[in-house]
Amino acid sequence: MKLVFNYIVLMCFLGFTEISIGQTTETNVENTLTFEEYLGYVKMHHPLMKQAELTLKMGEATLLRARGGFDPKIEVDYDRKKFKNTAYFDQLNAAFKIPTWYGVEFKANFEENTGAFLDPSLTVPDDGLYSAGVSFSLAQGLLINERMASLKQARFFREQTKADRDILVNNLLFEASQAYFDWIEATNEQRIYQNFLANATIRLRAIQRSVEAGDKAAIDITEARIILETRKLNLEAATLKKRKAALVASNFIWLNDIPMEIQDDVTPQLPTIETLETSLLIEGITNTDALLVNHPKLKSLDAKIDGLTVDRALKRNKLLPKLDLQYNFITQENDQLNSFNTANYKAFVNFSFPLFLRKERGDVKLANLKLNDVAFERTATSLALQNKIEATQAEILSYEIQTLLIDSIVTDNIALVTAEERKFSLGESSLFLINSREQKLIDARLKENKLLVKNLMATANLYNALGIVEPSLTN
């Protein structure tokens, strides 16, 4: 009778210990949140996805502001003085200006001045005076000036914001994936302890009956109860870990600007490597060198270098003398173009040149230092990314090998526990040996779970290291 009872206990025990990690994630399908669904919520509704678009709009707004430096302008100056019924002067000056790329500005002007005490040099015909001319710089400001530099830098800044947006989205999806995998690990860990808690409960009841029947010593009940309470303690810690992991994953789930919370009855589903690679857009990638060239971090630094190069060119240009010229044809007949001739004109020349150029030379040195600093950063970043990609690929291969090994270890531990249970049922073993064998099996299960999640993490690390860009962001 004792052998039959022990055999029943053994069969119940084996039913629990042979549940695999993969199977534990398939239960309760109706309350399962798959990785694809989870990542879909992040892409569609997370506020940082919208913040990423704001980053791009900042670059576009900066470019629009820089283009404003080339907008045509209308300027009107009106000045009048009247005192004790005497009109001292009445001056009107209206101008239309068109700035162009190479520091050349076209200008049309109308001038009308009257008054009893008007400056003689401002005297014009009664119908006013019209002028049309051009102003330009011959040295400093000809090949590059503030307007040109601002527009070029704004274009590079827009490219930099595109790259920064891609980095922001890539990091967001990477962190969301990590949170989901932590949730999987905690869920599996809880189920492992639940299964072995059931084993300990069955074993305690069997020991109590054996003690009542006089087959076992009463001290065995104490040992079995210690194991049961330890399993309960481990399960409680695992349950808390799962809840905390679910809350961390909840940080990434939003719906219509409302944060959502993952409930206790919702469980994650273990994605296959193929599903994970498809979701993270790294399926079939073999040429990582091509992706490294277009990595958003490097593109951001390249755009920053280009902007600093423009700034350095502007600073170097200011080492030249400043020579501004202005020439205007003047006439009192605006409806006849042939009335403009070289006999009637107004010209202006301005020349300046600092003797020591200390400010200008200092600005050039600072520009060179900034440029070199970013160039060094770009070189270091490129090497770091390349090494990170290679290390991650090696990590993935290693975890695949480790997974095969741990699967073999788990299988062997199950065999040892099974054999020890059979020996126990025949009276050839002790409760201590069974618990010792079972603890090693638990440790192997937990390690198997960790390796499973580490393999998923490594795939996500590869996605992050490659700087994969979402297709919707490239349009």
Side-chain angles (χ1 to χ4, degrees):
M1 182 68 183
K2 181 179 76 173
L3 294 178
V4 172
F5 177 75
N6 287 340
Y7 181 76
I8 293 173
V9 172
L10 174 62
M11 290 300 101
C12 292
F13 172 72
L14 292 179
F16 283 107
T17 59
E18 292 181 359
I19 296 177
S20 68
I21 296 297
Q23 291 172 335
T24 60
T25 58
E26 299 294 336
T27 59
N28 203 10
V29 176
E30 65 274 7
N31 288 328
T32 296
L33 179 63
T34 67
F35 181 72
E36 301 96 308
E37 293 170 339
Y38 170 80
L39 214 58
Y41 279 110
V42 179
K43 292 179 181 179
M44 291 294 295
H45 301 288
H46 199 280
L48 280 181
M49 295 295 290
K50 300 176 182 179
Q51 183 181 354
E53 293 302 318
L54 291 179
T55 302
L56 179 61
K57 289 179 180 179
M58 287 177 61
E60 293 174 347
T62 302
L63 179 60
L64 179 63
R65 181 181 63 182
R67 284 174 174 165
F70 294 90
D71 289 345
K73 287 193 235 177
I74 296 177
E75 297 179 354
V76 178
D77 293 330
Y78 181 70
D79 194 8
R80 177 184 177 127
K81 180 179 179 181
K82 186 175 181 180
F83 182 66
K84 294 183 178 180
N85 296 324
T86 301
Y88 278 64
F89 55 80
D90 201 324
Q91 300 174 344
L92 173 65
N93 193 326
F96 178 68
K97 297 179 181 180
I98 303 177
T100 61
W101 182 252
Y102 285 107
V104 178
E105 184 176 78
F106 295 99
K107 179 180 179 182
N109 189 77
F110 172 72
E111 186 177 1
E112 186 179 53
N113 304 319
T114 59
F117 297 97
L118 185 68
D119 188 331
S121 64
L122 300 177
T123 302
V124 297
D126 293 340
D127 293 333
L129 190 66
Y130 298 88
S131 64
V134 62
S135 62
F136 54 92
S137 300
L138 285 180
Q140 184 184 133
L142 178 61
L143 299 179
I144 187 170
N145 52 51
E146 297 288 350
R147 285 199 303 262
M148 294 167 60
S150 295
L151 183 55
K152 287 182 178 180
Q153 288 175 323
R155 287 172 177 166
F156 293 132
F157 181 68
R158 181 180 60 176
E159 296 303 314
Q160 184 179 348
T161 56
K162 286 182 181 178
D164 291 342
R165 174 199 58 181
D166 295 341
I167 294 172
L168 184 63
V169 172
N170 181 278
N171 288 335
L172 171 64
L173 298 182
F174 170 65
E175 292 172 3
S177 300
Q178 282 187 317
Y180 187 86
F181 300 150
D182 287 337
W183 183 28
I184 287 178
E185 180 182 356
T187 301
N188 285 339
E189 186 174 326
Q190 181 194 44
R191 285 171 174 167
I192 289 171
Y193 283 120
Q194 283 175 338
N195 294 332
F196 285 99
L197 175 63
N199 293 349
T201 302
I202 293 173
R203 189 176 297 118
L204 176 61
R205 291 173 183 171
I207 294 297
Q208 288 173 338
R209 293 177 183 176
S210 296
V211 170
E212 291 173 358
D215 296 330
K216 296 291 181 183
I219 194 64
D220 287 342
I221 295 178
T222 303
E223 184 175 355
R225 187 167 55 244
I226 290 173
I227 294 298
L228 178 63
E229 296 301 323
T230 302
R231 300 281 167 79
K232 287 181 179 180
L233 180 64
N234 291 336
L235 177 59
E236 182 61 30
T239 302
L240 175 61
K241 181 179 177 180
K242 175 193 172 184
R243 187 57 195 152
K244 291 171 68 176
L247 290 174
V248 172
S250 298
N251 293 336
F252 298 92
I253 300 181
W254 293 68
L255 185 61
N256 298 325
D257 297 328
I258 299 175
M260 310 299 290
E261 182 177 324
I262 298 174
Q263 301 301 313
D264 290 334
D265 60 340
V266 178
T267 58
Q269 184 181 67
L270 179 69
T272 64
I273 294 297
E274 293 76 14
T275 300
L276 181 59
E277 290 179 348
T278 301
S279 299
L280 296 179
L281 308 174
I282 59 176
E283 183 182 22
I285 290 178
T286 56
N287 186 8
T288 57
D289 292 337
L291 287 174
L292 184 61
V293 172
N294 295 314
H295 197 286
K297 283 187 178 179
L298 298 183
K299 291 177 71 174
S300 176
L301 290 173
D302 286 338
K304 190 174 181 180
I305 288 173
D306 291 335
L308 290 174
T309 302
V310 172
D311 182 65
R312 182 179 64 178
L314 179 63
K315 297 295 192 298
R316 285 177 173 176
N317 184 260
K318 291 186 177 181
L319 294 173
L320 299 174
K322 187 174 182 181
L323 179 59
D324 297 330
L325 302 178
Q326 187 177 139
Y327 189 89
N328 296 279
F329 298 98
I330 56 178
T331 181
Q332 61 181 352
E333 299 174 358
N334 66 317
D335 56 346
Q336 297 180 11
L337 291 178
N338 58 6
S339 63
F340 290 98
N341 57 73
T342 57
N344 301 316
Y345 66 89
K346 183 169 62 174
F348 170 81
V349 178
N350 179 43
F351 175 82
S352 64
F353 183 69
L355 293 179
F356 300 111
L357 293 173
R358 285 181 288 196
K359 177 180 180 302
E360 291 74 12
R361 287 188 287 116
D363 286 341
V364 172
K365 286 184 179 181
L366 287 174
N368 283 326
L369 292 173
K370 290 179 181 179
L371 190 57
N372 290 336
D373 180 63
V374 180
F376 290 143
E377 182 183 354
R378 204 267 185 201
T379 302
T381 301
S382 177
L383 179 61
L385 288 173
Q386 185 176 0
N387 290 337
K388 183 178 180 181
I389 291 170
E390 293 179 1
T392 304
Q393 290 174 327
E395 190 178 25
I396 291 173
L397 292 176
S398 177
Y399 284 144
E400 290 176 354
I401 297 173
Q402 291 182 53
T403 299
L404 294 176
L405 293 174
I406 194 64
D407 288 344
S408 177
I409 292 173
V410 169
T411 301
D412 290 342
N413 272 282
I414 290 176
L416 288 174
V417 173
T418 303
E420 203 66 47
E421 275 286 345
R422 286 172 180 164
K423 290 170 65 178
F424 180 77
S425 67
L426 297 173
E428 298 177 359
S429 182
S430 65
L431 184 61
F432 173 79
L433 289 176
I434 292 177
N435 290 332
S436 178
R437 295 289 190 192
E438 191 176 62
Q439 185 58 49
K440 290 182 179 180
L441 176 58
I442 293 174
D443 294 339
R445 283 287 193 206
L446 293 175
K447 192 167 185 178
E448 179 188 33
N449 182 36
K450 286 185 179 295
L451 280 175
L452 180 70
V453 173
K454 282 183 178 181
N455 197 14
L456 299 176
M457 291 283 194
T459 304
N461 279 330
L462 182 61
Y463 162 80
N464 184 243
L466 291 173
I468 301 296
V469 179
E470 291 294 309
S472 59
L473 300 181
T474 59
N475 297 330

PDB file of all heavy atoms in Angstrom, residues 168-188:
ATOM      1  N   LEU A 168      15.947  59.045 -31.003  1.00  0.00           N
ATOM      2  CA  LEU A 168      14.950  59.072 -29.937  1.00  0.00           C
ATOM      3  C   LEU A 168      13.956  57.923 -30.087  1.00  0.00           C
ATOM      4  O   LEU A 168      13.638  57.222 -29.116  1.00  0.00           O
ATOM      5  CB  LEU A 168      14.218  60.417 -29.937  1.00  0.00           C
ATOM      6  CG  LEU A 168      13.193  60.663 -28.823  1.00  0.00           C
ATOM      7  CD1 LEU A 168      13.878  60.653 -27.468  1.00  0.00           C
ATOM      8  CD2 LEU A 168      12.481  61.990 -29.045  1.00  0.00           C
ATOM      9  N   VAL A 169      13.475  57.695 -31.305  1.00  0.00           N
ATOM     10  CA  VAL A 169      12.512  56.620 -31.546  1.00  0.00           C
ATOM     11  C   VAL A 169      13.160  55.259 -31.341  1.00  0.00           C
ATOM     12  O   VAL A 169      12.575  54.352 -30.732  1.00  0.00           O
ATOM     13  CB  VAL A 169      11.928  56.740 -32.971  1.00  0.00           C
ATOM     14  CG1 VAL A 169      11.069  55.527 -33.304  1.00  0.00           C
ATOM     15  CG2 VAL A 169      11.098  58.011 -33.101  1.00  0.00           C
ATOM     16  N   ASN A 170      14.388  55.102 -31.851  1.00  0.00           N
ATOM     17  CA  ASN A 170      15.098  53.830 -31.695  1.00  0.00           C
ATOM     18  C   ASN A 170      15.291  53.490 -30.221  1.00  0.00           C
ATOM     19  O   ASN A 170      15.045  52.352 -29.788  1.00  0.00           O
ATOM     20  CB  ASN A 170      16.446  53.908 -32.416  1.00  0.00           C
ATOM     21  CG  ASN A 170      17.247  52.616 -32.321  1.00  0.00           C
ATOM     22  OD1 ASN A 170      17.918  52.369 -31.335  1.00  0.00           O
ATOM     23  ND2 ASN A 170      17.171  51.802 -33.360  1.00  0.00           N
ATOM     24  N   ASN A 171      15.722  54.468 -29.429  1.00  0.00           N
ATOM     25  CA  ASN A 171      15.928  54.234 -27.996  1.00  0.00           C
ATOM     26  C   ASN A 171      14.618  53.931 -27.281  1.00  0.00           C
ATOM     27  O   ASN A 171      14.575  53.106 -26.354  1.00  0.00           O
ATOM     28  CB  ASN A 171      16.606  55.443 -27.353  1.00  0.00           C
ATOM     29  CG  ASN A 171      18.058  55.572 -27.745  1.00  0.00           C
ATOM     30  OD1 ASN A 171      18.711  54.593 -28.106  1.00  0.00           O
ATOM     31  ND2 ASN A 171      18.598  56.778 -27.693  1.00  0.00           N
ATOM     32  N   LEU A 172      13.547  54.598 -27.694  1.00  0.00           N
ATOM     33  CA  LEU A 172      12.244  54.355 -27.070  1.00  0.00           C
ATOM     34  C   LEU A 172      11.792  52.920 -27.294  1.00  0.00           C
ATOM     35  O   LEU A 172      11.384  52.230 -26.349  1.00  0.00           O
ATOM     36  CB  LEU A 172      11.203  55.333 -27.630  1.00  0.00           C
ATOM     37  CG  LEU A 172       9.749  55.066 -27.224  1.00  0.00           C
ATOM     38  CD1 LEU A 172       9.581  55.237 -25.724  1.00  0.00           C
ATOM     39  CD2 LEU A 172       8.798  55.985 -27.981  1.00  0.00           C
ATOM     40  N   LEU A 173      11.868  52.438 -28.534  1.00  0.00           N
ATOM     41  CA  LEU A 173      11.438  51.077 -28.827  1.00  0.00           C
ATOM     42  C   LEU A 173      12.357  50.050 -28.168  1.00  0.00           C
ATOM     43  O   LEU A 173      11.908  48.979 -27.751  1.00  0.00           O
ATOM     44  CB  LEU A 173      11.395  50.864 -30.345  1.00  0.00           C
ATOM     45  CG  LEU A 173      10.406  51.755 -31.107  1.00  0.00           C
ATOM     46  CD1 LEU A 173      10.420  51.415 -32.589  1.00  0.00           C
ATOM     47  CD2 LEU A 173       8.995  51.617 -30.551  1.00  0.00           C
ATOM     48  N   PHE A 174      13.633  50.385 -28.069  1.00  0.00           N
ATOM     49  CA  PHE A 174      14.581  49.491 -27.384  1.00  0.00           C
ATOM     50  C   PHE A 174      14.235  49.376 -25.900  1.00  0.00           C
ATOM     51  O   PHE A 174      14.191  48.276 -25.341  1.00  0.00           O
ATOM     52  CB  PHE A 174      16.001  50.015 -27.579  1.00  0.00           C
ATOM     53  CG  PHE A 174      17.031  49.337 -26.728  1.00  0.00           C
ATOM     54  CD1 PHE A 174      17.331  47.996 -26.905  1.00  0.00           C
ATOM     55  CD2 PHE A 174      17.697  50.041 -25.727  1.00  0.00           C
ATOM     56  CE1 PHE A 174      18.279  47.365 -26.111  1.00  0.00           C
ATOM     57  CE2 PHE A 174      18.638  49.419 -24.938  1.00  0.00           C
ATOM     58  CZ  PHE A 174      18.940  48.086 -25.129  1.00  0.00           C
ATOM     59  N   GLU A 175      13.999  50.496 -25.244  1.00  0.00           N
ATOM     60  CA  GLU A 175      13.664  50.474 -23.821  1.00  0.00           C
ATOM     61  C   GLU A 175      12.319  49.787 -23.577  1.00  0.00           C
ATOM     62  O   GLU A 175      12.146  49.077 -22.579  1.00  0.00           O
ATOM     63  CB  GLU A 175      13.638  51.906 -23.276  1.00  0.00           C
ATOM     64  CG  GLU A 175      15.022  52.564 -23.234  1.00  0.00           C
ATOM     65  CD  GLU A 175      14.951  54.039 -22.886  1.00  0.00           C
ATOM     66  OE1 GLU A 175      13.829  54.530 -22.614  1.00  0.00           O
ATOM     67  OE2 GLU A 175      16.004  54.701 -22.893  1.00  0.00           O
ATOM     68  N   ALA A 176      11.369  50.003 -24.500  1.00  0.00           N
ATOM     69  CA  ALA A 176      10.078  49.327 -24.373  1.00  0.00           C
ATOM     70  C   ALA A 176      10.248  47.816 -24.503  1.00  0.00           C
ATOM     71  O   ALA A 176       9.616  47.042 -23.769  1.00  0.00           O
ATOM     72  CB  ALA A 176       9.113  49.852 -25.435  1.00  0.00           C
ATOM     73  N   SER A 177      11.092  47.391 -25.424  1.00  0.00           N
ATOM     74  CA  SER A 177      11.354  45.954 -25.595  1.00  0.00           C
ATOM     75  C   SER A 177      11.994  45.371 -24.348  1.00  0.00           C
ATOM     76  O   SER A 177      11.627  44.277 -23.895  1.00  0.00           O
ATOM     77  CB  SER A 177      12.265  45.726 -26.810  1.00  0.00           C
ATOM     78  OG  SER A 177      11.675  46.221 -27.998  1.00  0.00           O
ATOM     79  N   GLN A 178      12.954  46.082 -23.772  1.00  0.00           N
ATOM     80  CA  GLN A 178      13.584  45.608 -22.538  1.00  0.00           C
ATOM     81  C   GLN A 178      12.557  45.428 -21.432  1.00  0.00           C
ATOM     82  O   GLN A 178      12.592  44.429 -20.691  1.00  0.00           O
ATOM     83  CB  GLN A 178      14.654  46.604 -22.090  1.00  0.00           C
ATOM     84  CG  GLN A 178      15.963  46.522 -22.851  1.00  0.00           C
ATOM     85  CD  GLN A 178      17.025  47.406 -22.241  1.00  0.00           C
ATOM     86  OE1 GLN A 178      16.756  48.547 -21.871  1.00  0.00           O
ATOM     87  NE2 GLN A 178      18.240  46.909 -22.133  1.00  0.00           N
ATOM     88  N   ALA A 179      11.642  46.385 -21.288  1.00  0.00           N
ATOM     89  CA  ALA A 179      10.612  46.293 -20.251  1.00  0.00           C
ATOM     90  C   ALA A 179       9.713  45.080 -20.479  1.00  0.00           C
ATOM     91  O   ALA A 179       9.331  44.380 -19.519  1.00  0.00           O
ATOM     92  CB  ALA A 179       9.777  47.575 -20.231  1.00  0.00           C
ATOM     93  N   TYR A 180       9.377  44.810 -21.746  1.00  0.00           N
ATOM     94  CA  TYR A 180       8.523  43.652 -22.054  1.00  0.00           C
ATOM     95  C   TYR A 180       9.249  42.355 -21.722  1.00  0.00           C
ATOM     96  O   TYR A 180       8.669  41.414 -21.153  1.00  0.00           O
ATOM     97  CB  TYR A 180       8.135  43.680 -23.525  1.00  0.00           C
ATOM     98  CG  TYR A 180       7.122  42.625 -23.929  1.00  0.00           C
ATOM     99  CD1 TYR A 180       5.759  42.857 -23.802  1.00  0.00           C
ATOM    100  CD2 TYR A 180       7.533  41.389 -24.441  1.00  0.00           C
ATOM    101  CE1 TYR A 180       4.828  41.902 -24.168  1.00  0.00           C
ATOM    102  CE2 TYR A 180       6.617  40.427 -24.804  1.00  0.00           C
ATOM    103  CZ  TYR A 180       5.262  40.688 -24.673  1.00  0.00           C
ATOM    104  OH  TYR A 180       4.345  39.732 -25.027  1.00  0.00           O
ATOM    105  N   PHE A 181      10.545  42.264 -22.036  1.00  0.00           N
ATOM    106  CA  PHE A 181      11.310  41.050 -21.763  1.00  0.00           C
ATOM    107  C   PHE A 181      11.487  40.833 -20.254  1.00  0.00           C
ATOM    108  O   PHE A 181      11.463  39.695 -19.777  1.00  0.00           O
ATOM    109  CB  PHE A 181      12.669  41.114 -22.450  1.00  0.00           C
ATOM    110  CG  PHE A 181      12.574  41.246 -23.952  1.00  0.00           C
ATOM    111  CD1 PHE A 181      13.561  41.912 -24.676  1.00  0.00           C
ATOM    112  CD2 PHE A 181      11.492  40.731 -24.641  1.00  0.00           C
ATOM    113  CE1 PHE A 181      13.468  42.048 -26.042  1.00  0.00           C
ATOM    114  CE2 PHE A 181      11.390  40.873 -26.026  1.00  0.00           C
ATOM    115  CZ  PHE A 181      12.388  41.530 -26.725  1.00  0.00           C
ATOM    116  N   ASP A 182      11.673  41.910 -19.510  1.00  0.00           N
ATOM    117  CA  ASP A 182      11.736  41.792 -18.046  1.00  0.00           C
ATOM    118  C   ASP A 182      10.415  41.262 -17.492  1.00  0.00           C
ATOM    119  O   ASP A 182      10.397  40.473 -16.527  1.00  0.00           O
ATOM    120  CB  ASP A 182      12.057  43.145 -17.421  1.00  0.00           C
ATOM    121  CG  ASP A 182      13.502  43.565 -17.627  1.00  0.00           C
ATOM    122  OD1 ASP A 182      14.345  42.683 -17.848  1.00  0.00           O
ATOM    123  OD2 ASP A 182      13.785  44.784 -17.581  1.00  0.00           O
ATOM    124  N   TRP A 183       9.332  41.702 -18.104  1.00  0.00           N
ATOM    125  CA  TRP A 183       8.005  41.222 -17.702  1.00  0.00           C
ATOM    126  C   TRP A 183       7.866  39.724 -17.984  1.00  0.00           C
ATOM    127  O   TRP A 183       7.325  38.961 -17.167  1.00  0.00           O
ATOM    128  CB  TRP A 183       6.943  42.033 -18.446  1.00  0.00           C
ATOM    129  CG  TRP A 183       5.523  41.733 -18.098  1.00  0.00           C
ATOM    130  CD1 TRP A 183       5.040  41.257 -16.924  1.00  0.00           C
ATOM    131  CD2 TRP A 183       4.392  41.910 -18.961  1.00  0.00           C
ATOM    132  NE1 TRP A 183       3.672  41.124 -16.984  1.00  0.00           N
ATOM    133  CE2 TRP A 183       3.245  41.518 -18.215  1.00  0.00           C
ATOM    134  CE3 TRP A 183       4.225  42.375 -20.265  1.00  0.00           C
ATOM    135  CZ2 TRP A 183       1.977  41.565 -18.760  1.00  0.00           C
ATOM    136  CZ3 TRP A 183       2.961  42.429 -20.804  1.00  0.00           C
ATOM    137  CH2 TRP A 183       1.843  42.032 -20.054  1.00  0.00           C
ATOM    138  N   ILE A 184       8.379  39.272 -19.138  1.00  0.00           N
ATOM    139  CA  ILE A 184       8.359  37.842 -19.469  1.00  0.00           C
ATOM    140  C   ILE A 184       9.167  37.052 -18.443  1.00  0.00           C
ATOM    141  O   ILE A 184       8.717  36.008 -17.940  1.00  0.00           O
ATOM    142  CB  ILE A 184       8.928  37.604 -20.887  1.00  0.00           C
ATOM    143  CG1 ILE A 184       7.942  38.081 -21.955  1.00  0.00           C
ATOM    144  CG2 ILE A 184       9.237  36.118 -21.108  1.00  0.00           C
ATOM    145  CD1 ILE A 184       8.439  37.923 -23.369  1.00  0.00           C
ATOM    146  N   GLU A 185      10.366  37.541 -18.130  1.00  0.00           N
ATOM    147  CA  GLU A 185      11.219  36.831 -17.173  1.00  0.00           C
ATOM    148  C   GLU A 185      10.544  36.706 -15.808  1.00  0.00           C
ATOM    149  O   GLU A 185      10.547  35.635 -15.189  1.00  0.00           O
ATOM    150  CB  GLU A 185      12.557  37.561 -17.029  1.00  0.00           C
ATOM    151  CG  GLU A 185      13.506  36.893 -16.058  1.00  0.00           C
ATOM    152  CD  GLU A 185      14.813  37.634 -15.888  1.00  0.00           C
ATOM    153  OE1 GLU A 185      15.015  38.650 -16.585  1.00  0.00           O
ATOM    154  OE2 GLU A 185      15.624  37.209 -15.041  1.00  0.00           O
ATOM    155  N   ALA A 186       9.942  37.804 -15.339  1.00  0.00           N
ATOM    156  CA  ALA A 186       9.284  37.771 -14.027  1.00  0.00           C
ATOM    157  C   ALA A 186       8.068  36.857 -14.039  1.00  0.00           C
ATOM    158  O   ALA A 186       7.800  36.136 -13.061  1.00  0.00           O
ATOM    159  CB  ALA A 186       8.876  39.188 -13.623  1.00  0.00           C
ATOM    160  N   THR A 187       7.321  36.852 -15.151  1.00  0.00           N
ATOM    161  CA  THR A 187       6.146  35.979 -15.260  1.00  0.00           C
ATOM    162  C   THR A 187       6.547  34.512 -15.236  1.00  0.00           C
ATOM    163  O   THR A 187       5.945  33.685 -14.531  1.00  0.00           O
ATOM    164  CB  THR A 187       5.372  36.292 -16.550  1.00  0.00           C
ATOM    165  OG1 THR A 187       4.958  37.666 -16.541  1.00  0.00           O
ATOM    166  CG2 THR A 187       4.137  35.413 -16.671  1.00  0.00           C
ATOM    167  N   ASN A 188       7.585  34.175 -16.008  1.00  0.00           N
ATOM    168  CA  ASN A 188       8.057  32.789 -16.024  1.00  0.00           C
ATOM    169  C   ASN A 188       8.600  32.361 -14.658  1.00  0.00           C
ATOM    170  O   ASN A 188       8.390  31.236 -14.211  1.00  0.00           O
ATOM    171  CB  ASN A 188       9.142  32.610 -17.085  1.00  0.00           C
ATOM    172  CG  ASN A 188       8.569  32.582 -18.490  1.00  0.00           C
ATOM    173  OD1 ASN A 188       7.397  32.309 -18.680  1.00  0.00           O
ATOM    174  ND2 ASN A 188       9.398  32.874 -19.469  1.00  0.00           N
TER     175      ASN A 188
END
